Amino acid sequence: MRLLALVLISFTALAAQEVGLDTWRTSGLGVDWHHASGRVAYDVKGDDGYYDIRLADPDGGNDRPLSELAPGLPRRHVATPGWHPSGRWLVAAVEEQDHAGGSYEAIPGFGAFNDIWAIAGDGSWAKRLTSIPDDIARGMIIPTFSADGRRLVWTERLIGPIWWDPKKQMGVWRVRVADVIEDAAGPRLTNIRSYQPGGEGFHEPYAFTPNGRGIIMATSIGQPSVWTLQIVVMDLASGQITQRLTQTNYNEHARFTPDGRSIVWMTNASSTLGGCDWWMMDADGANKRRLSYFNEPGHPHCDGHARWAGLMTFAPDGRSFLGGGQYDLFSQEGWIKRVTLLPNGTGTGLTGEYFAREDLRGADGGLEADLERLDATVDFNWGWWMPAFGLPADRFSVRWSGELEPAYSGVYTFHLTADDGARLWIDDRLVVDMWGGAWGGVASGTAPLVAGRRHAIRLEYRESWGAAVMKLEWSGARQVRQVIPTSRLHPREPAGAVRRLFGLPGGNG
C-alpha cells in the first residue's frame, strides 16, 4: 500500500544571528559613537607608548587627534572615551601626570592612577572631574553617561589584585554614580554614590538601563572566582541585583541596543581557543546567540590565536556596532571591528520526497514519491533504521528540493557526506556527483551565490544497504562550514500547504 503524505517536521534549535564583520582599526580599543554629530571617538596607543583619543567618521575616514590638543590634560594614558549626549564634550579615564611607580598598571582596562576627565569635543579645553589617591591600588575605568547626560557611572578600584584569592585576583571594585552639573565653570560631578551589591568583589558597570533606573554590569558576587563573572542588572534605588542575565562561563562588557530590546556582551561560552566572543541576548536574558567566532579555528573571523572581544558602541539604527577587542590580556592592546547584524533568513527547510526504491521511484515503480514532507535541514544519520514509518531501511532514495538564500555573496563550497550515493544541483548545474559510490563518503563542489537571492537547489540521495547517512553543509570566505541552517532553506511548496496526516518517528539526527 502506498504511503502518500505531506508531513511537517519541526525541530527546536538555538537561533543564530548572522553578521558581517570587518576591521575598522587594526590598532585601538575603547570606542564611542556620537550619533547626532556622526563622530566616533576611539583610543589608540601612540608612538610614545601612551594611549590617546582620536576622532573619526563612522566609515573610518577623516581621522584626527583630540586628546593631544587639549590644554592641561596629562600627557600619559588617555582612554575609554564616552560622549556626553550633547556632543559638546566627552569623558575619559586619564592617567595622572605624576605618580609613584610606572604606567603599566595605568593602561586601559587596569586603570591605576586614573581619574575621570572632561574633554571638549574640539579639544579646546579639559577639566578633571575626580581626584584619585596616589596609590597603585586605586583607579577608575569606563565612564558612561545616562541617556539624558545628567548622570555618570564608572567603576573604581579600591584594592589591587590579590593573586592568591580567586575571588579577588582582579582586585576589589565598586560602582560609582554621580550627578552631572554644567555651569559657567564647566562640567562637574556632585552627589557621588557608591554601590557594592552583595559585598566586596569585582563590580564593573557598563551602562544605564533603558529606563534609567538600573545599571547593567558584571559581578563576581556568588561566583567561585573572577573568571566566572556574570552579567546582572542592579537597581539604583535599592542597590540590589534584580536580574541575573547569565549563569555560567566568563562574561563582561554588556551594552543595550539602541531600542533597548537586546544586549550584546562578551563571553567565553563555547570558545575553543579560550578567548571571548560577542554574543547577543534579549533584554530579559533569553534567546542567547553567538555573533563572532574569533576563537574558532577554521572560521573566517579567527586568526588562529585566542582573542577577547570588548565593549561596543552602536550605530543609530542599531543594525551595526563598532567594538574593541584585545590581542593580549596583559598588554591590553587590540583592534576595533565593525559588526553588521544581517537580516536573518525566513526559510523553513526543504521539500523532501522519499521513495521506497533506490532509483527515485515509488514502491509501484512510478515517479511519484511514497512520502513527501518538509525537512528543516539535511543532516540525517538513520543508521540501520528506516527513514520514516512504512519505508524500507535499505534500498530507498530521497530528493530534497527548493531554494537556497545565502547571507553573503561569493563562491561557496558545498560538502556532501553520504552513505551511500548523492548528487547536488545548484541553479540547475550539477555541483557534486557521488552517485555511483558503493560506500559513499565525502565530496564537495563550488557554486557562486548572491546574498539575498534565492537559488534553486536539488539534492538526491540513495541508500543501498547498511547504515544510512546524508548531510549537506556549506562554507565560504565569510561563511563558516556548517550544516545549511533552516533559515536559509525554502521548500518547493509554501509551508502553509504542508499538512500532517500521521506521525513519523524521528527526524534529523
Side-chain angles (χ1 to χ4, degrees), residues 481-497:
R481 179 169 172 169
Q482 63 175 179
V483 172
I484 301 178
T486 304
S487 63
R488 295 295 164 186
L489 299 171
H490 299 269
R492 189 186 68 244
E493 300 196 13

Side-chain angles (χ1 to χ4, degrees), residues 380-391:
F380 293 97
N381 185 353
W382 292 294
W384 296 77
W385 294 92
M386 65 185 73
F389 176 76
L391 292 173

Side-chain angles (χ1 to χ4, degrees), residues 219-302:
T219 183
S220 63
I221 296 302
Q223 300 301 311
S225 80
V226 292
W227 303 108
T228 52
L229 296 176
Q230 302 304 319
I231 302 299
V232 302
V233 171
M234 179 191 73
D235 175 64
L236 285 168
S238 65
Q240 301 300 310
I241 293 171
T242 55
Q243 279 185 283
R244 293 187 177 272
L245 301 172
T246 61
Q247 290 76 39
T248 60
N249 303 302
Y250 171 63
N251 309 269
E252 280 193 283
H253 302 153
R255 289 269 169 88
F256 286 93
T257 54
D259 62 9
R261 296 179 180 177
S262 301
I263 296 165
V264 173
W265 87 107
M266 75 85 154
T267 176
N268 67 352
S270 305
S271 171
T272 299
L273 295 180
C276 295
D277 278 279
W278 284 306
W279 285 58
M280 194 172 194
M281 60 180 158
D282 295 345
D284 62 359
N287 192 25
K288 294 178 173 67
R289 58 270 194 200
R290 192 171 187 170
L291 301 183
S292 68
Y293 294 82
F294 301 127
N295 294 281
E296 305 310 314
H299 194 284
H301 296 175
C302 182

Side-chain angles (χ1 to χ4, degrees), residues 42 86 156 160 165 174 185 191 215 288-289 319 352 381 416 479 495:
Y42 72 100
S86 69
E156 180 179 323
D165 185 344
R174 64 180 174 181
N191 189 26
I215 299 291
K288 294 178 173 67
R289 58 270 194 200
R319 296 178 182 176
N381 185 353
L416 303 188
Q479 174 64 61

Side-chain angles (χ1 to χ4, degrees), residues 341-362:
L341 305 176
L342 300 175
N344 283 328
T346 59
T348 55
L350 293 176
T351 301
E353 299 171 89
Y354 288 74
F355 301 86
R357 288 175 37 157
E358 192 178 350
D359 58 357
L360 295 168
R361 290 182 177 270

Side-chain angles (χ1 to χ4, degrees), residues 141-162:
I141 55 175
I142 319 178
T144 306
F145 284 102
S146 60
D148 59 9
R150 300 169 74 175
R151 290 173 296 169
L152 186 73
V153 64
W154 68 93
T155 185
E156 180 179 323
R157 191 168 74 182
L158 301 173
I159 301 174
I162 303 174

